[in-house]
Every structure is written in structure tokens, then in C-alpha cells.
Amino acid sequence: MSVSNLSVSQQRAVIDLFRRIAPIADELGELFAAHGHELAVVGGSVRDVFLGRIGNDLDLTTDARPERVLEIVKGWADSIWTIGIDFGTVGLRKNNWVLEITTYRSESYDPKSRKPEVIYGETLEADLERRDFAINAMAVRLPKHEFVDPYGGLTDLAAKVLRTPGTPEQSFDDDPLRMLRAARFASQLGFTVEPSVVAAMTAMADRIEIVSAERIRDELDKLICGEHPREGLALLSDTGLAAHVLPELPKLRLEIDEHHRHKDVYEHTLIVLEQAIALEAAGPDRVLRWAALLHDIGKPKTRRFEDAGRVSFHHHEVVGAQMTKKRLTELRFPKDVVADVSRLVELHLRFHGYGTGEWTDSAVRRYVRDAGHLVERLHKLTRADCTTRNKRKAEALSRTYDDLEQRIARLADEEELAKMRPELDGNEIQEVLGVGPGPIIGSAYKFLLEMRLDQGIVGKEAARQALTLWSKSQNLPPAP
């Protein structure tokens, strides 16, 4: 199909693409042609053109084998990397462009293997057939700018539908991760998934077990950071995939939350996630979003039926934090992400002890100290966790949290609250106690920190006097 066969708006999109990437694409296409090989812009790079999203990354495909690609681009590219060469991909940089060139291929999984077997192909059309969805199975040949769309990807883009080029069963059997990609694209693009694809995902959900934790993590992370995570998460739950990759999520569907204001904790969780997203200041905050998604996963394990028909979930935040740490660790998330998300889950109920402002300044200081660098995220998570339909109650909670934030700001201005350190440092503590480094210095530091939390800034002299009295209670020898 030539560009002239497209609609006027589609022609403009393709023309705009090549206006931006020329002379890079044409130059590279002519280089490959001179060496007797084909080259085409492919996949997401073409899809995003029609969605009005053009970045500085390009995906390309060729009939040349990886070793041949290296020979062709040597001397042309500014830099080259081969981290993906085992899977047929050569990466390179030219000016401000990052290009990935992948040999025509088809890949499939052995039923007992976690790693795909890469088989090189011979034609562009065959390569497009093995791609995950029709919207990613479009290409533009270089250097002639011939548009190739054998599986109706452009039609699916207009309809906002996800459909596989071939049968979904064959596609998911070749690479089970594509089932998670369907949910990820539903989140990122807001597209619906064609019913036969949903049916195949449901029937083949257990096939996802052979995929590595790292690949699953990457798809889940992209899903939750998409514009429509509810759609992606619902698809995972409805098809049974969540039971294999994030089992805590569907389990929430069976639990009624303690306020009896929502159908179940599952629905409450999705609302909290959406409300947390609405509070983001600058783009997706993965830590906040994961904390919102997992904040109540401890409820199923802690549910108790009380008198008068009440339901309680005592200490679900503690249990939930432990479960969060276990799940994110198993998914191979970085340690700092695991720690931060788990800590937010643990702290998400702390505000409810504030009542109508009964906390002392000491309690406010402890709240900030315990949250540490997560305090702003904790503010957002706590606000997002209010999903009551009672407008008066919601407004009261909002005002109360406004009051807490104002108190935190006031104390921060007065006391440099964010630093939250004792008024004496380690050297000064040693001087007062008349001892060298050792365990007693750590104990003294904790004592002074607790004093700072309880009393605020009292001055160095008062801190020294208090430390001297404390040392006597510890039966320490007096300072010389």
C-alpha cells in the first residue's frame, strides 16, 4: 500500500513522520539498500505516528542478520550497542535519535521454558504476522516510504480495538507475555480488547507462569503507570491473569470494606488508585500508584466479623505492608521501591489517629519523622483513601487533613522539621558523656531524638543538662 492510498489525515501523519526523521531514516534505508537489504520503520513507531505521538526513538526491522547489521551501520552510527543481539536487535545512536534494528523474526516458547526461542524470518509480512497486535503490525518501507498494513492495524487504531494479527491462541502460545501486554495497552491507550482475545487470555491464563518475573514486572509497572490503569487491572482480574501475577488483587473482590459504602474492597482500591493519580503533580508516580493499589491487601487476612454485623480489619496495614514487601520482591522490583511502597502501606492509616486535631506537636513530629522522605506521598495516599459517599464526612476529613498539613508546615518553619535531628551531634554527645565511640553513643542519640520529638527545640545547654541526667540513670561514670 502506498502512502497515496491513505486518507488525507493519515497521509499527513506519515509525511510529518518523515519530515521529522529525514534524513536519518532515508539515509539509513539507502545504506541498507546499497548493501542489498530491506529496512522498514515498524511497530510502535508507526502506531504512534497515527496517535500523534512522535518521539526520538525509532524501531526498525530488516532481513539482514544482526552480524550483517553491525557491518552496515559501522562508521555511520555515532554509537552502537549489542545488549539485545541474542534476540536479533542492534541498538545505535545517530545525532539525537536512538534506533533499534531487529532482524525479521518469529519467537516462541517451549512449554517448559521461560526464555523465547528466536527464529529469524525472511519477509516483512511474515515478521508483522508474529507481532503482538495488529496496531503494532504496521510498517513503512525505506527509503520509498511504502506503507504496509496486511492485518488491518489502521482500522483497529480508528476503532480503538486490540486484536492479534493471527489467532490469539497462536499468538499467546508463541509468547504468553502478550496477554499482559493486552492489559498494558488497555491501560496506556484506553483501547478495548477484542472478545476472542479476551477469551484466549482467560483460557490460557496459566501459561503466563513460564514467563520470567522481570518481564512480568515490567508489564505490570507500565500498566499501572498508564493513563487508564483501571481498565488494565480489570482485564487482568476478569481473565484470571491477576491470580497468577498479582493474586492479592482479585482476592479483594470477596471482601466488604468496613464502611459498607462500596460494593467491595476491590472497587474501593480502584477508586483510591484513581484519586491518587488525580493528586499527582508531574506525571506518573509509580511508588504512589503501587501503594494505592496495594494499601488494603491485608484486609482478607485480617477480616473479623464483630457483634451487630460489623466487620473489622484490625492491623491490616501491618499485614499488608508485609504482603506488599513479599509480592514486590518476588516481582524483582528495586529495593528502594519495595521499601517505599511497603512503608506507605504500613503508614496509610496513621492519620486516622489524629481525630479532630487532638495530636500534640510531639505526635505531629513523629508522624513526619516516621514518614521521612515519603511524607508528601503519604499526604496524597491518605487523601485518596477517603472514598466515602457521605459528602459531609468527606469534607470534614479533608478539613482535618488540611489542619494537619498546616501544623506540619508551621512546625517545619519553626524547627526545620524535615531534618529532625537531636540538637547535639555525635562529637558533642561524646564530650558531654566523656566517652569515646561505642554503643552508648547510639543510645544517647536516640534519647535526644525522642526529646526533640517530644519537646521540640530546647537549646544546646538544656540538651546537655538532660543528657547528663539521662547518663546518671544509665549508671554511666561521670565525665572527667
Side-chain angles (χ1 to χ4, degrees), residues 138-407:
M138 300 182 289
V140 179
R141 292 184 185 274
L142 300 174
K144 295 183 178 181
H145 302 181
E146 179 190 356
F147 181 65
V148 183
D149 181 20
Y151 302 104
L154 204 53
T155 300
D156 287 357
L157 268 183
K160 297 185 176 181
V161 171
L162 290 173
R163 183 177 52 84
T164 54
T167 67
E169 290 80 7
Q170 182 61 53
S171 180
F172 298 153
D173 194 54
D174 287 345
D175 185 354
L177 190 69
R178 291 172 178 172
M179 295 186 286
L180 288 190
R181 286 196 195 124
R184 189 244 291 183
F185 283 124
S187 169
Q188 289 182 326
L189 303 177
F191 283 19
T192 59
V193 181
E194 203 269 337
S196 66
V197 176
V198 175
M201 292 169 65
T202 304
M204 302 175 67
D206 61 347
R207 185 94 166 103
I208 198 68
E209 295 282 353
I210 70 168
V211 179
S212 69
E214 290 83 359
R215 297 183 79 208
I216 290 172
R217 173 204 62 210
D218 290 346
E219 291 300 325
L220 290 177
D221 206 33
K222 291 174 183 176
L223 184 162
I224 201 169
C225 289
E227 292 185 27
H228 314 275
R230 172 189 276 269
E231 284 76 0
L233 293 168
L235 185 61
L236 290 184
S237 295
D238 293 343
T239 58
L241 276 164
H244 298 278
V245 299
L246 198 62
E248 296 80 5
L249 179 62
K251 288 180 180 179
L252 295 177
R253 272 186 161 159
L254 303 178
E255 310 302 324
I256 305 300
D257 83 15
E258 69 269 37
H259 302 296
H260 301 287
R261 289 292 185 269
H262 302 277
K263 184 177 181 181
D264 51 35
V265 179
Y266 172 84
E267 178 63 20
H268 164 77
T269 294
L270 295 183
I271 294 173
V272 172
L273 174 58
E274 290 175 326
Q275 294 185 165
I277 291 171
L279 295 173
E280 289 175 338
D285 183 336
R286 70 193 303 212
V287 169
L288 176 63
R289 292 191 182 198
W290 275 106
L293 180 65
L294 302 176
H295 78 285
D296 272 350
I297 62 171
K299 282 189 172 180
K301 284 190 175 183
T302 58
R303 182 174 64 164
R304 299 291 183 272
F305 296 101
E306 309 291 352
D307 295 336
R310 291 189 66 256
V311 180
S312 68
F313 302 93
H314 296 308
H315 306 301
H316 76 268
E317 73 281 11
V318 177
V319 173
Q322 295 168 348
M323 294 171 64
T324 295
K325 183 177 181 180
K326 181 175 184 293
R327 174 56 52 203
L328 296 185
T329 299
E330 289 179 353
L331 286 170
R332 307 289 195 272
F333 272 91
K335 290 182 179 180
D336 61 328
V337 175
V338 175
D340 287 352
V341 176
S342 302
R343 187 62 169 157
L344 285 172
V345 171
E346 182 181 2
L347 294 175
H348 82 273
L349 287 184
R350 182 72 65 87
F351 161 71
H352 295 286
Y354 188 71
T356 56
E358 289 86 355
W359 277 2
T360 62
D361 284 353
S362 172
V364 175
R365 294 187 192 100
R366 291 175 189 277
Y367 181 83
V368 176
R369 190 273 305 269
D370 290 346
H373 70 282
L374 298 170
V375 67
E376 292 300 325
R377 287 186 173 116
L378 183 57
H379 290 334
K380 294 174 183 178
L381 178 60
T382 302
R383 288 184 181 276
D385 196 25
C386 175
T387 59
T388 178
R389 296 176 185 175
N390 185 317
K391 185 176 180 180
R392 182 177 298 177
K393 183 177 180 181
E395 290 176 348
L397 284 170
S398 180
R399 286 194 301 271
T400 303
Y401 208 85
D402 287 344
D403 179 68
L404 174 58
E405 286 190 320
Q406 290 167 6
R407 289 183 64 187

